[in-house]
Structure formats: structure tokens, C-alpha cells
Amino acid sequence: SQQGEEDPQALSIQEGENATMNCSYKTSINNLQWYRQNSGRGLVHLILIRSNEREKHSGRLRVTLDTSKKSSSLLITASRAADTASYFCATDPGGGADGLTFGKGTHLIIQP
Amino acid sequence: NAGVMQNPRHLVRRRGQEARLRCSPMKGHSHVYWYRQLPEEGLKFMVYLQKENIIDESGMPKERFSAEFPKEGPSILRIQQVVRGDSAAYFCASSPTVVNTEAFFGQGTRLTVV
């Protein structure tokens, strides 16, 4: 099955609440990345976490990585309407092999 | 329904040669995006195309790079007179409509300039 499976597929929350998205993968990785895609636009790189890191922060974003469970989570705190988008995780096996593998994404809707 | 197909998977070019990267979107998809990934970095958006039109090329270098998505056939990313700094993985993604945010990615083309 597909590497980088996001969960849930869709999420709708109220503005101001926190949003959590999960990503599971199957093979070993060098790093894992999260991306956002707004409707009709290209991907925007949000954050990269390396396999030897457990947690990383960037503004209102918090990413965790558990390599023993082969899973990652993306937390967006104090959500805003502008956070409405699709969020993808991507795994990088490293070593110059095969590039990134993307999941199908979580579609996040922030209700005003 | 085959996924997004990119070819070749690996491409080696000498400095000064041309590189042509192909992307066949999923059946029924008319929107294509190209991205570049430098080693150990995230994807960087390059260009967004619909059939026969370039919608947004704000991420593509003005010199040596061009992209097209003809009415028939795959989308092509063309790099003329390649330099070592062009070595990267190039990904394309396709989506059926601009309203549908789900994009499907190809496995990428790894370009190495020697």
C-alpha cells in the first residue's frame, strides 16, 4: 500500500481550535516532510523533520516523529480560516534514491 | 487508472547539454505542477500548467528553464545548457480540477549533471 498515509482524510474544526493530522509510513526514512496545498495552488513546504529528531516547531506548527511506530503528526494550534487547505506528508528515504513519496493528504476546513 | 508517470526516472547530462523531463498526468487530469527538490531539502514549486496554458511560473528560473503541456501528450520540463546546480529531483503532480485540492504525485526524475 502507499507510503505516507495521512489520517484523517478530511477534518473540519472551528476557528481557534487545534487541528491534528497523522501520517504513517512503511519503510525506513531519512526525513519526513509536511506540505500544504491551497486550492488551485502548488505545494508549500511547511516543515522537515529528520529521522533522528522527535519533535520540531515552526510558529503555530508542531511536528512529531516516532520512527519506532513509523508515524508522524502535524499539529496546527489556534487555527485560522487561512489554514483551510490540504496537508500532505512526504517521506524521503535519503541516499539519493527515488525522491519523495507523498500520501493522499488530509483536507482541513476551518469554520469561521 | 495508472498514476502520474514520469520519465526517465534517472537522467545524467553533461554540463551544457539539454535535459527533457516528461510527465504524463493521470487520466482525466488537466492540471500539472512541477517541483524541484534539492538534496536534503523540501520541494520547491516551479510551475503550474493547464492544457496548453502556463498559469503560474513564478517558481521557475527565467533563464534556461521552460515548461509546456500540449493538448496531446505529456507535460515537458526542459532545461537548456544544464549546470551542476540543476542536479536535483524533479517531481510533477496532477489534479483533475482547480477546485479539487487532491494532487497526485509522480515518482520523480533524478537529474544528475556531470
Side-chain angles (χ1 to χ4, degrees):
Chain A
S1 61
Q2 189 168 7
Q3 182 93 324
E5 298 272 355
E6 289 91 342
D7 165 51
Q9 288 190 331
L11 179 63
S12 180
I13 62 174
Q14 294 295 125
E15 195 168 17
E17 292 180 338
N18 295 342
T20 300
M21 288 159 273
N22 302 297
C23 168
S24 61
Y25 57 93
K26 296 191 183 301
T27 61
S28 62
I29 62 170
N30 177 266
N31 64 71
L32 184 144
Q33 304 169 28
W34 284 92
Y35 291 82
R36 182 184 71 223
Q37 185 184 29
N38 291 92
S39 178
R41 313 287 277 279
L43 283 181
V44 172
H45 180 244
L46 294 176
I47 198 162
L48 181 154
I49 186 164
R50 302 190 190 284
S51 59
N52 61 353
E53 297 176 310
R54 292 296 165 257
E55 189 171 311
K56 207 159 180 182
H57 297 255
S58 176
R60 292 183 298 111
L61 305 180
R62 173 177 166 247
V63 167
T64 63
L65 179 65
D66 186 334
T67 52
S68 66
K69 294 181 180 177
K70 289 187 165 55
S71 68
S72 173
S73 67
L74 170 67
L75 169 67
I76 304 174
T77 60
S79 63
R80 305 167 181 168
D83 294 330
T84 294
S86 284
Y87 292 83
F88 296 86
C89 75
T91 53
D92 186 344
D98 290 347
L100 295 177
T101 301
F102 283 81
K104 294 184 178 180
T106 292
H107 186 42
L108 175 65
I109 297 172
I110 308 298
Q111 311 271 11
Chain B
N1 190 1
V4 177
M5 304 299 292
Q6 288 188 249
N7 68 81
R9 292 292 311 280
H10 299 272
L11 181 62
V12 179
R13 284 286 177 266
R14 297 187 191 281
R15 279 180 294 172
Q17 290 185 318
E18 178 179 289
R20 290 171 70 87
L21 287 64
R22 294 175 192 78
C23 170
S24 296
M26 288 183 69
K27 188 177 181 181
H29 287 194
S30 57
H31 300 254
V32 166
Y33 304 82
W34 282 95
Y35 301 86
R36 177 165 61 179
Q37 184 200 12
L38 294 170
E40 299 295 321
E41 295 187 14
L43 287 185
K44 294 273 172 50
F45 167 76
M46 297 182 74
V47 61
Y48 163 38
L49 310 103
Q50 293 178 27
K51 284 283 187 182
E52 302 184 273
N53 291 304
I54 296 176
I55 306 302
D56 181 354
E57 56 182 347
S58 58
M60 198 156 69
K62 299 273 188 289
E63 306 289 330
R64 303 186 297 109
F65 285 72
S66 62
E68 62 177 13
F69 188 15
K71 189 176 180 181
E72 301 291 337
S75 176
I76 306 285
L77 178 67
R78 185 180 174 210
I79 311 172
Q80 296 177 291
Q81 298 174 317
V82 295
V83 301
R84 288 246 169 91
D86 297 332
S87 294
Y90 293 82
F91 288 85
C92 88
S94 73
S95 67
T97 70
V98 70
V99 174
N100 186 334
T101 59
E102 186 175 13
F104 296 82
F105 284 82
Q107 291 192 295
T109 293
R110 180 160 295 280
L111 172 65
T112 303
V113 180
V114 297

